[in-house]
Amino acid sequence: MRFPPEIPAAFAAQMTHWLGAEADHLLSALSGRPWRGLRYAAVAKPNGSLPASLAPFLRDRVPWTEDGFYLAQGPSLGYTVLHQAGAFYLQDPSAMAVAVALDPRPGERILDLCAAPGGKTTYAALLAARRGGAQMVANDIHRDRVLALAENAERVGAPCAITNESPSQLAEAWPQAFDAIIVDAPCSGEGMFRKDPAVRAEWRPDAPERFQALQKDILTHALNMLKPGGRLVYSTCTLNPLENEQVVLWLLDHFPVELEPLPEWPEWQPARADWAADRPELRRARRLWPHLGRGEGHFVARLRLCEPVSDQPRRRSKSSAHPGANKAWEAWLESFVTAIPASWRRTTGNKNVVFADVLGDLAAPGLRVLRPGPPLAERKGRVYVPHHAASRLIPPGGFRATVEIDEETAIRYLAGEPLAAPGDVSEETAFCAVAHEGFHLGFAKRAPGRLNNLYPRGLRSTRIESLAALAEEVAASSSYT
C-alpha cells in the first residue's frame, strides 16, 4: 500500500490492520492541512457573542457546539487585542466536544485531571457559568504545563482552583469528592499528526500499548475521586483502539460503571464495538476521524459511576480565611466593584496575594496548590491593588470605573504605555478597568493627567497586531478559505 512519506510506516500498517482499505483515505487526510477553530471564551460574559470585528476570519459554525467556528486559513489571531482580552480561545474544533460531553450542571464540583493547556477546562467553566456556576478544579502533573494552564484560565476568567499533583496524590486526598471529572488522557497523539510534526516524529510503534497502561492508571485514580452517580468523560486525541475502545472496555469489565450515550454530533462516528469484544454499548462513545469529519482525530466517552470505588471517607478541612478579609477588605471591594461576587468575600491568602477561595474544604495538607482560586488583589502595606486576573472575572459595568478604548490605544496599552485620563472617569476609586469592545483588558491607576498602566510586565508585548489589518490580509488572498 502507498502512503504519504511523512506518515510513519508502522503507523500506516497499524491503521491498515484496523481499517482495511479505508486506511488509504485516513492517511491521505493526515497529510493535508489541519482544521483551525475558535470559540467564544469570556466566562464573565457567559451568554455573550463574538465581536463583529472577528467576522472576516470566521467560516462555518462547528456543528457540535454553539460557541465554535472554523477559522480561515491564514494569520494567527493569538497576538490580537481580543485574544489577549480573553474574548475567544483558539481550539481544535474536535476538542470542543469534550466540555459539551461533560454537560456541567448547576452547583457541581468538577475536576479536570489532566487539564493543561486549559482549553477543555475553560470551556467547561464557561458552560457551567451559563447554568449558575460550579466549583472547578484544574490539575496537571507537569510544572511547566500547569503554568500555561493558569495563564489561560486567567486570560478568559475561568474561576477555578489549580493544582500541580499526581492523580494518585489527589485520589488519596479527595476520595468520592467530585460530581464530574474530565480525563483528557496523555496519549500517542495520532489524531494530531497533520497538526504537529513533532508528535508525528516522536511516535513509536509501541506507543499505544505504553500509553494504554498510563491511561488505565489515571482512570483508576479518577474513579476513586468520583461520587456514586457521577460522570467521567474520557477523551484522547489518538486513533488506535488500544487507547480508546479497549480502554473503555477495560473500565466496563473492572469497575461499576455504565457507558452513557453521547449526542449524535454531525460528522462524528460511533466508536467501534468490533474492536473491543463486540460490546454493543461501546457505540455510545464517539470518534471523529480526520477523513470523515472537519477536525483532528478525537475519541470521547462518558461513563457514569454506579457505586463508589473508594471505601475511604473524604477528610474534610476548613478553608482558612485570609487575614485581610475584614472591614478594610470589604470597604475596598465596595469602592471598586458595583456588585461584589459572593466568592470575593470568601478569600484565602498566600503571602500578600488575596485569592477567591474556590478550593474550600478540598484544601489538604501536602497538596501542591498553584492557586486556591483566582487571585483578586495584592496587599501593599495597608493598600489593596487589584490583581490583573480580577479584571476577567467581572462582566461589563461591574467595576466602579471603566475606560473603553479603541484598538490602536489598546495595542499601546498592552505594550505598557500609560493612558490619557478621560474626563468622564469616576473619581470614586483610585483604580479603573480598561476595556476594548466590552472585554476587560486589565487595570489602570489614576494619576494627575493620566492613567498609569497596571498591565502585568510579564504579559506586555509589542507584537500585538491589528485585527483590521489582518482582515485585509485575509481578504486579499484567495487561499485563505
Side-chain angles (χ1 to χ4, degrees):
M1 188 192 80
R2 300 177 63 184
F3 54 87
E6 64 270 21
I7 300 296
F11 168 75
Q14 289 184 9
M15 288 298 102
T16 301
H17 168 75
W18 295 110
L19 289 170
E22 188 183 352
D24 287 345
H25 302 291
L26 170 65
L27 298 173
S28 177
L30 289 178
S31 66
R33 291 193 303 193
W35 291 93
R36 303 168 69 219
L38 172 155
R39 63 166 174 80
Y40 184 79
V43 177
K45 300 170 65 176
N47 297 310
S49 57
L50 290 167
S53 56
L54 288 170
F57 307 94
L58 306 181
R59 297 300 179 255
D60 294 346
R61 282 188 178 271
V62 175
W64 44 91
T65 170
E66 61 182 317
D67 296 296
F69 288 84
Y70 292 96
L71 276 176
Q73 298 294 330
S76 171
L77 301 181
Y79 286 96
T80 58
V81 173
L82 286 173
H83 183 266
Q84 300 304 100
F88 63 86
Y89 197 105
L90 298 171
Q91 188 174 24
D92 291 332
S94 51
M96 298 176 192
V98 176
V100 176
L102 184 72
D103 188 24
R105 297 163 194 178
E108 287 189 320
R109 177 179 283 161
I110 298 171
L111 170 66
D112 190 349
L113 186 54
C114 312
K120 298 170 180 69
T121 295
T122 55
Y123 196 17
L126 172 64
L127 295 178
R130 287 191 180 137
R131 301 166 188 180
Q135 182 184 9
M136 291 279 306
V137 181
N139 176 76
D140 203 272
I141 193 172
H142 301 288
R143 177 65 183 178
D144 54 342
R145 286 172 56 82
V146 83
L147 295 176
L149 166 63
E151 183 177 324
N152 280 320
E154 179 177 297
R155 183 173 60 83
V156 304
C160 56
I162 298 176
T163 57
N164 176 211
E165 269 298 353
S166 66
S168 61
Q169 287 293 106
L170 293 183
E172 183 177 339
W174 296 337
Q176 299 184 48
F178 293 93
D179 301 288
I181 297 177
I182 297 173
V183 176
D184 183 49
C187 66
S188 58
E190 296 165 353
M192 297 291 109
F193 273 10
R194 66 181 173 189
K195 178 185 176 183
D196 192 341
V199 173
R200 214 166 49 221
E202 293 168 3
W203 184 90
R204 295 293 180 270
D206 65 342
E209 187 174 358
R210 287 189 291 105
F211 276 105
Q212 185 195 70
L214 177 60
Q215 291 151 3
K216 289 179 178 180
D217 181 66
I218 293 171
L219 287 165
T220 298
H221 296 306
L223 287 172
N224 273 274
M225 290 185 275
L226 198 60
K227 297 177 183 178
R231 307 180 310 288
L232 185 147
V233 172
Y234 174 66
S235 64
T236 74
C237 58
T238 199
L239 304 174
N240 199 298
L242 269 68
E243 301 173 73
N244 296 322
E245 285 89 349
Q246 293 184 22
V247 168
V248 175
L249 176 65
W250 175 81
L251 288 171
L252 294 171
D253 285 344
H254 290 83
F255 296 94
V257 295
E258 292 182 354
L259 192 57
E260 294 190 333
L262 289 174
E264 295 184 2
W265 298 315
E267 304 180 29
W268 290 69
Q269 310 299 315
R272 295 283 298 265
D274 57 318
W275 290 344
D278 277 322
R279 290 283 287 272
E281 65 265 43
L282 284 168
R283 293 179 57 81
R284 298 171 183 171
R286 292 285 176 265
R287 275 182 173 270
L288 193 140
W289 291 98
H291 64 298
L292 298 175
R294 291 173 295 169
E296 306 314 297
H298 231 85
F299 176 90
V300 183
R302 187 175 68 210
L303 300 108
R304 183 174 64 85
L305 184 64
C306 301
E307 57 187 71
V309 171
S310 172
D311 57 4
Q312 284 184 284
R314 187 165 67 85
R315 301 187 302 272
R316 295 180 180 272
S317 59
K318 294 182 179 179
S319 175
S320 57
H322 184 267
N326 53 24
K327 291 183 179 179
W329 173 247
E330 293 285 334
W332 184 79
L333 288 178
E334 290 287 351
S335 73
F336 183 53
V337 181
T338 57
I340 303 172
S343 62
W344 289 34
R345 299 184 189 274
R346 300 188 301 270
T347 61
T348 187
N350 183 4
K351 298 180 180 178
N352 293 322
V353 179
V354 182
F355 295 88
D357 188 13
V358 172
L359 203 58
D361 70 356
L362 288 173
L367 287 185
R368 293 193 297 268
V369 177
L370 188 70
R371 291 182 172 180
L376 305 178
E378 296 179 68
R379 190 169 186 175
K380 298 185 177 180
R382 296 184 178 181
V383 177
Y384 290 103
V385 176
H387 192 283
H388 172 68
S391 67
R392 310 301 169 85
L393 300 170
I394 298 287
F399 294 108
R400 296 284 180 190
T402 301
V403 177
E404 176 75 23
I405 58 178
D406 60 22
E407 186 185 52
E408 182 180 349
T409 307
I411 289 173
R412 295 199 303 270
Y413 171 79
L414 294 174
E417 294 184 20
L419 301 175
D424 59 348
V425 174
S426 169
E427 297 185 4
E428 295 179 11
T429 176
F431 304 101
C432 67
V434 178
H436 174 65
E437 293 200 42
F439 295 91
H440 293 137
L441 291 168
F443 295 113
K445 184 179 181 181
R446 183 182 302 283
R450 69 177 191 275
L451 296 174
N452 286 338
N453 194 325
L454 296 183
Y455 197 71
R457 293 185 182 278
L459 297 179
R460 293 178 183 180
S461 176
T462 57
R463 298 174 57 191
I464 305 301
E465 298 181 273
S466 164
L467 270 178
L470 293 177
E472 291 179 3
E473 183 180 331
V474 169
S477 175
S478 60
S479 65
Y480 294 160
T481 58

